[in-house]
Amino acid sequence: MAYRKQLTRLKAPYLKRILLEPERIGDRERYPFDLPIFRDGFELEFTTPITIIVGENGTGKSTLLEAIGALAGYDEAGGGKGYMPVDHSHAIDRSGTALADALRAHWLPKVTAGWFFRAESFYAVARYLDRVAQEPLGGPPPDYLSWSHGEGFMRFFEERLSRQGLYILDEPESALSPSRQIELLKLLRRMDGTGFAQVVMATHSPLLMACPGARLLRINRFGLDEADFRQTDHFRMMREFCGDPDAFLAEALYEDDR
């Protein structure tokens, strides 16, 4: 995998550690500081180039990724450094920025080139990239939107994730079929092999959780703990479904009408 510019000879991870500083918290009763993961302090060390975070909806995964993006200079809505593809200046929820303001980050070195990928803002980002590419000296537009949703995602990943930097992926499986998820796994494996890309990813996909060489962290009511993908509720549920689909669905969809 060729990189356009080598920013440092040191290898990933570049972001080494983040920790919550209590004196920077304005109101502990407000989101996201009222979440169990942040209630009794928070510290996260990045020990591998690829870190995967899993947990149920509402546990703070996306907010944590937004905060890491803000620490790197990315917009909460997604994109790269200096990009603001979505105008959300009047949004009520700015929890990612609030969390970032209460975090201290340790880098070695501080590599903030890269990308914050959010599935829900992909089309806005793609339109933005098409527009800026057509500006003087910008070159031809990447045209990610002429493809199917999943193909557009993969073209975007293959082009943007081929450079040295920090990459934050929030549920990238959203538009990817299982076979496309395998393609993304291959790309992540190549990135890991180069040593020049750091990835922090939140996912619900057992396939992506199984990424070789990645460190998997699971959010629970006590904070974060290291886990094997086979220990996650996501994998267990899929295993039970695959083992006996009829029995699984009968139990899962049962409603007691009494």
Side-chain angles (χ1 to χ4, degrees), residues 14 28 44 51 58 71 81 114 130 146 163 182 185 210 224 227 245:
Y14 307 116
R28 284 190 171 275
L44 172 56
T51 303
L71 290 170
K81 196 169 184 179
D130 280 349
S146 292
R163 311 172 189 180
I182 294 296
L185 271 180
L224 280 171

Side-chain angles (χ1 to χ4, degrees), residues 131-180:
R131 187 177 73 250
V132 298
Q134 293 171 359
E135 294 173 357
L137 304 179
D143 194 22
Y144 301 118
L145 299 182
S146 292
W147 304 80
S148 73
H149 202 179
E151 288 174 322
F153 271 39
M154 285 308 305
R155 285 175 61 84
F156 178 85
F157 291 145
E158 289 165 359
E159 195 273 327
R160 287 282 155 176
L161 275 63
S162 65
R163 311 172 189 180
Q164 187 177 33
L166 169 67
Y167 296 93
I168 303 166
L169 309 180
D170 191 8
E171 299 182 12
E173 72 275 10
S174 298
L176 300 181
S177 68
S179 62
R180 292 294 185 185

Side-chain angles (χ1 to χ4, degrees), residues 238-253:
M238 290 306 300
R239 181 175 57 191
E240 291 174 8
F241 171 77
C242 292
D244 190 342
D246 293 335
F248 177 89
L249 289 174
E251 182 176 352
L253 302 181

